[in-house]
Amino acid sequence: MGTINISKQTARRFVLGKQGLWPGRRWRGKSGTAQAINACEAVQLDPLIVVARSQDIVLHSRVLEYKPDHLYDVAYKQRKFFDYGGWLAMYPMRDLPYWRTHMEGRAKDSYVSRFVKGHKKLLDEVRAELRKRGPLGNRDFDGARVQSWSYRGRKETAVALFDMWLSGELMMHHRVGFDRVYDFRENIAPKEFNYVASEKDAETFFARKAVAFYGLKREATMRGELNYHLYREYSKTEMTKLLEGWKESGMVRQVQIEGGRDIHLVLGEDVQALESLERGRIPKGWNPKETTTLEEVTFLAPLDIVSARGRAKRLFDFEYTWEVYTPAHKRRWGYYVLPILYGDDLVARLDPKLDRKTMTLEIKGFWHEDDAPVKDADFANALAKGLMRFAKFVEAKKVDVSAIKPVGLRREVKKVISEE
């Protein structure tokens, strides 16, 4: 089968739609939270909270009536998901057998094994405490401080717990805030998912997972995906053979995006949706439950897969850098800037902050693209509605839009907010 040629608009809509962002939210509440994570394949987690944590903004942008408690409920009470990895993310529990293949390789990696080999007595003591006392976090242990800084923890027990988690011996029982509380895997994982997949099955799984996660995955990056997930170095010859096999089986198809040189991969099962979009139609099952992104803008999280790490530039010709770790004097925009999705395009950014004393959602800055429809009443209305929904999500009582420019846009946004 030949290469599929699509427009850049089709590519944007497909990637947004696969992630449940376009043409509008199509899930609702706690059950919708689980549906959204399954559809997205993974949601990256981050501890930082300014207005809300990145993962909660990700789910708010996809799920009507989303509340942060929903994520912890479906993961740690219903056990439908588990979190894992140095690139920390929440994954469907059905993925665990394949991640256990990865975990076995991770356990042998020097990053983990060096500490484990030098602290066997400590690990045995940690295991004994977990058996005796049940689920525990690092705060439940007294321990010596690590000799050099480690993001894994300041105490040796924290590093021990973290490494046992990376190697799959422990899983996350629950979190208190964002603090980890661990238990043995066998006490957490449903039996039907608590096994190690074969390397061959894991190979196919992680390849498919990568394409599904990105929607359109650059073919040239697939080798790196497998190298990381299976802890081995695939040769170019091996990778070429695997790619040929996946194409022949129909698991993936090649895609060329208008104006681009890269060859992308799409899942065979998603070709019909891609072709529908190219014909100007909305794929089956994509219709929103309430407003579309033209009727109400959506704010994308800092770590949203559609815009993070340079993808906003490639997909939307939109410059975006999460500047939270950039020194203030070097920031181009602001501390916690969020891209604004209007229709199928990123048209602006805003820097929100929640004043918890007055429970006011403050917009500290607003920056629009040159071609953004800032003089359009429909855009002002959509922006105001997006702000009101976001304010309700973070439980703000007021919205301060005084920093929004141009003045005409600010005036229209304030008018809509005041009328609600």
Side-chain angles (χ1 to χ4, degrees):
M1 291 182 281
T3 300
I4 301 169
N5 295 292
I6 61 172
S7 68
K8 201 160 188 178
Q9 183 184 61
T10 293
R12 289 200 308 267
R13 289 181 170 183
F14 179 73
V15 170
L16 289 167
K18 278 283 289 180
Q19 282 287 319
L21 286 163
W22 183 88
R25 294 174 177 87
R26 56 180 182 260
W27 300 294
R28 186 189 301 272
K30 190 185 298 183
S31 61
T33 299
Q35 291 171 321
I37 303 171
N38 279 318
C40 293
E41 298 287 346
V43 173
Q44 187 173 359
L45 307 180
D46 188 80
L48 187 64
I49 180 166
V50 176
V51 283
R53 291 192 173 100
S54 180
Q55 58 268 26
D56 291 320
I57 299 175
V58 164
L59 291 166
H60 164 74
S61 66
R62 292 156 168 81
V63 182
L64 292 163
E65 300 164 15
Y66 172 76
K67 297 178 181 178
D69 287 347
H70 292 165
L71 176 59
Y72 282 11
D73 190 294
V74 297
Y76 304 129
K77 293 182 181 178
Q78 298 182 33
R79 298 295 179 203
K80 292 181 178 179
F81 305 93
F82 68 100
D83 56 59
Y84 179 74
W87 187 86
L88 180 62
M90 193 72 78
Y91 298 100
M93 188 64 78
R94 64 174 183 266
D95 295 359
L96 181 60
Y98 311 98
W99 278 105
R100 285 201 60 194
T101 307
H102 168 90
M103 291 167 182
E104 290 199 342
R106 195 72 174 261
K108 298 172 186 175
D109 184 68
S110 60
Y111 179 77
V112 172
S113 63
R114 186 184 302 115
F115 181 88
V116 170
K117 289 176 181 176
H119 296 81
K120 290 184 177 180
K121 182 180 178 182
L122 173 65
L123 267 66
D124 285 340
E125 291 171 353
V126 168
R127 293 183 183 104
E129 287 299 300
L130 284 165
R131 293 188 188 99
K132 179 181 177 182
R133 298 161 60 192
L136 298 172
N138 181 51
R139 294 177 185 271
D140 299 308
F141 291 90
D142 294 323
R145 295 178 69 86
V146 292
Q147 294 180 355
S148 59
W149 183 89
S150 171
Y151 83 87
R152 291 179 283 179
R154 296 180 180 178
K155 294 190 301 188
E156 288 186 341
T157 50
V159 178
L161 288 163
F162 190 84
D163 286 354
M164 293 165 76
W165 171 67
L166 284 180
S167 61
E169 183 175 356
L170 304 181
M171 291 183 72
M172 209 63 60
H173 183 273
H174 67 280
R175 286 180 182 267
V176 178
F178 205 71
D179 290 346
R180 301 176 174 95
V181 179
Y182 302 87
D183 198 3
F184 292 107
R185 185 192 63 252
E186 56 266 27
N187 295 337
I188 292 175
K191 290 183 179 179
E192 64 267 34
F193 300 124
N194 192 17
Y195 67 92
V196 181
S198 70
E199 184 171 307
K200 189 65 179 176
D201 286 346
E203 190 175 72
T204 303
F205 168 81
F206 282 120
R208 186 193 178 284
K209 181 85 174 177
V211 178
F213 182 51
Y214 286 95
L216 294 169
K217 175 69 172 171
R218 284 187 293 167
E219 184 175 286
T221 64
M222 289 296 288
R223 185 178 167 206
E225 290 282 345
L226 292 191
N227 286 346
Y228 168 73
H229 285 107
L230 293 173
Y231 270 90
R232 54 167 293 193
E233 190 69 30
Y234 282 80
S235 69
K236 291 182 179 180
T237 302
E238 282 181 297
M239 199 66 233
T240 298
K241 186 176 180 181
L242 285 170
L243 284 165
E244 288 175 352
W246 297 331
K247 293 168 192 173
E248 287 175 5
S249 71
M251 185 178 89
V252 297
R253 292 280 303 277
Q254 288 185 316
V255 175
Q256 183 87 42
I257 301 172
E258 173 191 18
R261 295 181 178 180
D262 289 327
I263 295 296
H264 293 75
L265 298 176
V266 67
L267 291 181
E269 65 201 55
D270 288 332
V271 169
Q272 187 174 354
L274 203 62
E275 292 175 340
S276 292
L277 289 167
E278 189 70 3
R279 292 194 297 268
R281 300 174 183 172
I282 296 175
K284 183 179 179 180
W286 283 24
N287 289 314
K289 289 186 176 293
E290 288 187 6
T291 55
T292 67
T293 51
L294 272 177
E295 297 166 323
E296 178 186 317
V297 305
T298 300
F299 306 124
L300 300 190
L303 298 176
D304 199 302
I305 188 58
V306 306
S307 52
R309 297 180 181 85
R311 208 160 190 233
K313 180 65 176 176
R314 293 194 296 271
L315 264 180
F316 304 94
D317 295 321
F318 183 86
E319 294 285 351
Y320 177 68
T321 302
W322 191 29
E323 298 179 310
V324 70
Y325 298 115
T326 303
H329 68 281
K330 292 185 178 181
R331 287 180 194 139
R332 183 176 176 185
W333 298 299
Y335 182 67
Y336 203 78
V337 170
L338 310 180
I340 299 174
L341 176 66
Y342 179 55
D344 60 11
D345 205 5
L346 299 182
V347 300
R349 317 152 185 76
L350 56 75
D351 184 16
K353 182 180 179 181
L354 181 61
D355 183 333
R356 288 180 170 78
K357 289 183 179 179
T358 62
M359 293 307 290
T360 299
L361 177 62
E362 301 176 349
I363 307 307
K364 309 294 286 186
F366 178 87
W367 304 265
H368 64 82
E369 298 293 270
D370 291 340
D371 60 351
V374 291
K375 296 181 180 180
D376 190 331
D378 288 340
F379 175 66
N381 186 62
L383 178 59
K385 287 182 176 178
L387 283 167
M388 287 188 289
R389 189 184 294 274
F390 194 77
K392 184 178 180 181
F393 161 60
V394 299
E395 300 181 345
K397 297 178 181 178
K398 296 183 292 183
V399 182
D400 179 358
V401 298
S402 57
I404 290 182
K405 296 178 181 179
V407 174
L409 176 63
R410 179 172 72 234
R411 183 170 54 246
E412 289 300 311
V413 168
K414 288 179 73 172
K415 180 182 177 181
V416 174
I417 291 175
S418 65
E419 289 174 351
E420 291 295 324

